[in-house]
PDB file of all heavy atoms in Angstrom:
ATOM      1  N   HIS A 366     -23.375  12.771   4.984  1.00  0.00           N
ATOM      2  CA  HIS A 366     -24.842  12.804   4.959  1.00  0.00           C
ATOM      3  C   HIS A 366     -25.477  13.140   6.299  1.00  0.00           C
ATOM      4  O   HIS A 366     -26.536  13.752   6.354  1.00  0.00           O
ATOM      5  CB  HIS A 366     -25.403  11.516   4.365  1.00  0.00           C
ATOM      6  CG  HIS A 366     -25.418  11.600   2.892  1.00  0.00           C
ATOM      7  ND1 HIS A 366     -24.446  11.036   2.108  1.00  0.00           N
ATOM      8  CD2 HIS A 366     -26.238  12.271   2.054  1.00  0.00           C
ATOM      9  CE1 HIS A 366     -24.683  11.352   0.855  1.00  0.00           C
ATOM     10  NE2 HIS A 366     -25.765  12.086   0.784  1.00  0.00           N
ATOM     11  N   ARG A 478     -34.621  13.738  -1.713  1.00  0.00           N
ATOM     12  CA  ARG A 478     -33.753  12.554  -1.573  1.00  0.00           C
ATOM     13  C   ARG A 478     -34.608  11.374  -1.101  1.00  0.00           C
ATOM     14  O   ARG A 478     -34.814  11.194   0.098  1.00  0.00           O
ATOM     15  CB  ARG A 478     -32.654  12.821  -0.545  1.00  0.00           C
ATOM     16  CG  ARG A 478     -31.606  13.849  -0.971  1.00  0.00           C
ATOM     17  CD  ARG A 478     -30.549  13.996   0.110  1.00  0.00           C
ATOM     18  NE  ARG A 478     -29.341  14.650  -0.346  1.00  0.00           N
ATOM     19  CZ  ARG A 478     -29.036  15.939  -0.128  1.00  0.00           C
ATOM     20  NH1 ARG A 478     -29.869  16.716   0.527  1.00  0.00           N
ATOM     21  NH2 ARG A 478     -27.900  16.435  -0.567  1.00  0.00           N
ATOM     22  N   ARG A 514     -35.567  12.388  -6.666  1.00  0.00           N
ATOM     23  CA  ARG A 514     -34.377  11.660  -7.103  1.00  0.00           C
ATOM     24  C   ARG A 514     -34.549  10.198  -6.715  1.00  0.00           C
ATOM     25  O   ARG A 514     -34.911   9.904  -5.562  1.00  0.00           O
ATOM     26  CB  ARG A 514     -33.129  12.219  -6.426  1.00  0.00           C
ATOM     27  CG  ARG A 514     -31.912  11.374  -6.780  1.00  0.00           C
ATOM     28  CD  ARG A 514     -30.665  11.919  -6.218  1.00  0.00           C
ATOM     29  NE  ARG A 514     -30.585  11.701  -4.787  1.00  0.00           N
ATOM     30  CZ  ARG A 514     -29.582  12.146  -4.050  1.00  0.00           C
ATOM     31  NH1 ARG A 514     -28.621  12.851  -4.614  1.00  0.00           N
ATOM     32  NH2 ARG A 514     -29.544  11.913  -2.760  1.00  0.00           N
ATOM     33  N   ASP A 517     -30.576   6.818  -3.782  1.00  0.00           N
ATOM     34  CA  ASP A 517     -29.114   6.888  -3.814  1.00  0.00           C
ATOM     35  C   ASP A 517     -28.620   6.286  -2.505  1.00  0.00           C
ATOM     36  O   ASP A 517     -28.300   7.005  -1.560  1.00  0.00           O
ATOM     37  CB  ASP A 517     -28.676   8.349  -3.961  1.00  0.00           C
ATOM     38  CG  ASP A 517     -27.161   8.500  -3.985  1.00  0.00           C
ATOM     39  OD1 ASP A 517     -26.453   7.476  -3.918  1.00  0.00           O
ATOM     40  OD2 ASP A 517     -26.689   9.649  -4.080  1.00  0.00           O
ATOM     41  N   LYS A 522     -24.406   6.351   2.888  1.00  0.00           N
ATOM     42  CA  LYS A 522     -25.819   6.121   3.195  1.00  0.00           C
ATOM     43  C   LYS A 522     -26.084   4.618   3.243  1.00  0.00           C
ATOM     44  O   LYS A 522     -26.665   4.041   2.327  1.00  0.00           O
ATOM     45  CB  LYS A 522     -26.694   6.799   2.138  1.00  0.00           C
ATOM     46  CG  LYS A 522     -26.665   8.313   2.258  1.00  0.00           C
ATOM     47  CD  LYS A 522     -27.541   9.000   1.249  1.00  0.00           C
ATOM     48  CE  LYS A 522     -26.797   9.377   0.010  1.00  0.00           C
ATOM     49  NZ  LYS A 522     -27.486  10.344  -0.840  1.00  0.00           N
ATOM     50  N   ARG A 543     -23.317   1.926  -5.777  1.00  0.00           N
ATOM     51  CA  ARG A 543     -24.294   2.783  -5.104  1.00  0.00           C
ATOM     52  C   ARG A 543     -25.207   3.419  -6.143  1.00  0.00           C
ATOM     53  O   ARG A 543     -24.972   3.311  -7.341  1.00  0.00           O
ATOM     54  CB  ARG A 543     -23.594   3.878  -4.276  1.00  0.00           C
ATOM     55  CG  ARG A 543     -22.790   4.846  -5.106  1.00  0.00           C
ATOM     56  CD  ARG A 543     -22.251   6.004  -4.279  1.00  0.00           C
ATOM     57  NE  ARG A 543     -23.221   7.065  -4.145  1.00  0.00           N
ATOM     58  CZ  ARG A 543     -22.884   8.355  -3.955  1.00  0.00           C
ATOM     59  NH1 ARG A 543     -21.621   8.705  -3.845  1.00  0.00           N
ATOM     60  NH2 ARG A 543     -23.815   9.272  -3.847  1.00  0.00           N
ATOM     61  N   PRO A 576     -29.561   9.605  -9.961  1.00  0.00           N
ATOM     62  CA  PRO A 576     -28.282  10.012  -9.363  1.00  0.00           C
ATOM     63  C   PRO A 576     -27.099   9.244  -9.952  1.00  0.00           C
ATOM     64  O   PRO A 576     -27.266   8.117 -10.435  1.00  0.00           O
ATOM     65  CB  PRO A 576     -28.465   9.608  -7.890  1.00  0.00           C
ATOM     66  CG  PRO A 576     -29.398   8.438  -7.925  1.00  0.00           C
ATOM     67  CD  PRO A 576     -30.280   8.614  -9.142  1.00  0.00           C
ATOM     68  N   MET A 577     -25.931   9.866  -9.918  1.00  0.00           N
ATOM     69  CA  MET A 577     -24.682   9.192 -10.281  1.00  0.00           C
ATOM     70  C   MET A 577     -24.674   8.634 -11.699  1.00  0.00           C
ATOM     71  O   MET A 577     -24.091   7.572 -11.939  1.00  0.00           O
ATOM     72  CB  MET A 577     -24.399   8.037  -9.307  1.00  0.00           C
ATOM     73  CG  MET A 577     -24.065   8.454  -7.898  1.00  0.00           C
ATOM     74  SD  MET A 577     -22.397   9.068  -7.712  1.00  0.00           S
ATOM     75  CE  MET A 577     -21.465   7.556  -7.822  1.00  0.00           C
ATOM     76  N   MET A 614     -28.576  13.699 -12.699  1.00  0.00           N
ATOM     77  CA  MET A 614     -27.648  14.465 -11.878  1.00  0.00           C
ATOM     78  C   MET A 614     -26.283  14.357 -12.519  1.00  0.00           C
ATOM     79  O   MET A 614     -25.894  13.285 -12.976  1.00  0.00           O
ATOM     80  CB  MET A 614     -27.581  13.894 -10.468  1.00  0.00           C
ATOM     81  CG  MET A 614     -28.817  14.217  -9.668  1.00  0.00           C
ATOM     82  SD  MET A 614     -28.568  13.868  -7.928  1.00  0.00           S
ATOM     83  CE  MET A 614     -27.429  15.159  -7.438  1.00  0.00           C
ATOM     84  N   GLU A 616     -22.793  14.400 -11.312  1.00  0.00           N
ATOM     85  CA  GLU A 616     -21.931  14.389 -10.125  1.00  0.00           C
ATOM     86  C   GLU A 616     -20.704  13.508 -10.347  1.00  0.00           C
ATOM     87  O   GLU A 616     -19.811  13.455  -9.514  1.00  0.00           O
ATOM     88  CB  GLU A 616     -22.706  13.975  -8.861  1.00  0.00           C
ATOM     89  CG  GLU A 616     -23.679  12.838  -9.031  1.00  0.00           C
ATOM     90  CD  GLU A 616     -24.568  12.621  -7.814  1.00  0.00           C
ATOM     91  OE1 GLU A 616     -24.335  13.216  -6.752  1.00  0.00           O
ATOM     92  OE2 GLU A 616     -25.517  11.814  -7.937  1.00  0.00           O
ATOM     93  N   GLY A 637     -24.808  17.856  -8.735  1.00  0.00           N
ATOM     94  CA  GLY A 637     -24.594  17.481  -7.330  1.00  0.00           C
ATOM     95  C   GLY A 637     -23.173  17.825  -6.961  1.00  0.00           C
ATOM     96  O   GLY A 637     -22.256  17.028  -7.148  1.00  0.00           O
ATOM     97  N   THR A 638     -23.002  19.031  -6.451  1.00  0.00           N
ATOM     98  CA  THR A 638     -21.622  19.482  -6.206  1.00  0.00           C
ATOM     99  C   THR A 638     -20.952  18.749  -5.042  1.00  0.00           C
ATOM    100  O   THR A 638     -19.742  18.773  -4.923  1.00  0.00           O
ATOM    101  CB  THR A 638     -21.601  21.002  -5.927  1.00  0.00           C
ATOM    102  OG1 THR A 638     -22.668  21.291  -5.022  1.00  0.00           O
ATOM    103  CG2 THR A 638     -21.776  21.789  -7.200  1.00  0.00           C
ATOM    104  N   ASN A 639     -21.745  18.103  -4.185  1.00  0.00           N
ATOM    105  CA  ASN A 639     -21.111  17.379  -3.076  1.00  0.00           C
ATOM    106  C   ASN A 639     -20.268  16.231  -3.607  1.00  0.00           C
ATOM    107  O   ASN A 639     -19.090  16.098  -3.282  1.00  0.00           O
ATOM    108  CB  ASN A 639     -22.160  16.794  -2.121  1.00  0.00           C
ATOM    109  CG  ASN A 639     -23.070  17.850  -1.564  1.00  0.00           C
ATOM    110  OD1 ASN A 639     -22.705  19.020  -1.518  1.00  0.00           O
ATOM    111  ND2 ASN A 639     -24.259  17.460  -1.162  1.00  0.00           N
ATOM    112  N   ASP A 640     -20.900  15.398  -4.415  1.00  0.00           N
ATOM    113  CA  ASP A 640     -20.152  14.284  -4.974  1.00  0.00           C
ATOM    114  C   ASP A 640     -19.185  14.751  -6.057  1.00  0.00           C
ATOM    115  O   ASP A 640     -18.048  14.295  -6.121  1.00  0.00           O
ATOM    116  CB  ASP A 640     -21.106  13.218  -5.540  1.00  0.00           C
ATOM    117  CG  ASP A 640     -21.577  12.278  -4.445  1.00  0.00           C
ATOM    118  OD1 ASP A 640     -20.717  11.782  -3.697  1.00  0.00           O
ATOM    119  OD2 ASP A 640     -22.791  12.046  -4.323  1.00  0.00           O
ATOM    120  N   LEU A 641     -19.660  15.688  -6.869  1.00  0.00           N
ATOM    121  CA  LEU A 641     -18.811  16.134  -7.979  1.00  0.00           C
ATOM    122  C   LEU A 641     -17.445  16.615  -7.462  1.00  0.00           C
ATOM    123  O   LEU A 641     -16.411  16.249  -7.996  1.00  0.00           O
ATOM    124  CB  LEU A 641     -19.500  17.263  -8.738  1.00  0.00           C
ATOM    125  CG  LEU A 641     -18.690  17.808  -9.907  1.00  0.00           C
ATOM    126  CD1 LEU A 641     -18.575  16.774 -11.009  1.00  0.00           C
ATOM    127  CD2 LEU A 641     -19.301  19.088 -10.459  1.00  0.00           C
ATOM    128  N   GLN A 643     -15.961  15.890  -4.652  1.00  0.00           N
ATOM    129  CA  GLN A 643     -15.113  14.833  -4.077  1.00  0.00           C
ATOM    130  C   GLN A 643     -14.435  14.029  -5.193  1.00  0.00           C
ATOM    131  O   GLN A 643     -13.304  13.593  -5.047  1.00  0.00           O
ATOM    132  CB  GLN A 643     -15.867  13.934  -3.097  1.00  0.00           C
ATOM    133  CG  GLN A 643     -16.713  12.833  -3.668  1.00  0.00           C
ATOM    134  CD  GLN A 643     -17.101  11.787  -2.611  1.00  0.00           C
ATOM    135  OE1 GLN A 643     -16.459  11.651  -1.578  1.00  0.00           O
ATOM    136  NE2 GLN A 643     -18.157  11.043  -2.889  1.00  0.00           N
ATOM    137  N   PHE A 644     -15.134  13.892  -6.319  1.00  0.00           N
ATOM    138  CA  PHE A 644     -14.514  13.136  -7.411  1.00  0.00           C
ATOM    139  C   PHE A 644     -13.508  13.989  -8.191  1.00  0.00           C
ATOM    140  O   PHE A 644     -12.486  13.499  -8.626  1.00  0.00           O
ATOM    141  CB  PHE A 644     -15.589  12.568  -8.346  1.00  0.00           C
ATOM    142  CG  PHE A 644     -16.505  11.588  -7.649  1.00  0.00           C
ATOM    143  CD1 PHE A 644     -17.875  11.623  -7.825  1.00  0.00           C
ATOM    144  CD2 PHE A 644     -15.968  10.629  -6.781  1.00  0.00           C
ATOM    145  CE1 PHE A 644     -18.711  10.717  -7.174  1.00  0.00           C
ATOM    146  CE2 PHE A 644     -16.804   9.720  -6.125  1.00  0.00           C
ATOM    147  CZ  PHE A 644     -18.180   9.774  -6.311  1.00  0.00           C
ATOM    148  N   ARG A 650     -15.542  12.929   0.653  1.00  0.00           N
ATOM    149  CA  ARG A 650     -16.340  13.992   1.285  1.00  0.00           C
ATOM    150  C   ARG A 650     -16.580  13.734   2.759  1.00  0.00           C
ATOM    151  O   ARG A 650     -16.925  14.638   3.509  1.00  0.00           O
ATOM    152  CB  ARG A 650     -17.679  14.157   0.558  1.00  0.00           C
ATOM    153  CG  ARG A 650     -18.625  12.991   0.681  1.00  0.00           C
ATOM    154  CD  ARG A 650     -19.745  13.067  -0.340  1.00  0.00           C
ATOM    155  NE  ARG A 650     -20.987  13.540   0.219  1.00  0.00           N
ATOM    156  CZ  ARG A 650     -22.135  13.600  -0.462  1.00  0.00           C
ATOM    157  NH1 ARG A 650     -22.175  13.231  -1.721  1.00  0.00           N
ATOM    158  NH2 ARG A 650     -23.221  14.030   0.100  1.00  0.00           N
TER     159      ARG A 650
HETATM  160 MG1   MG B 802     -24.624  12.930  -4.670  1.00  0.00          MG
END
Side-chain angles (χ1 to χ4, degrees):
H366 276 99
R478 291 182 164 101
R514 175 176 74 183
D517 179 2
K522 289 181 267 195
R543 64 173 275 207
M577 292 283 286
M614 286 193 71
E616 41 189 350
T638 45
N639 303 337
D640 276 311
L641 179 68
Q643 81 164 339
F644 297 136
R650 67 195 258 185

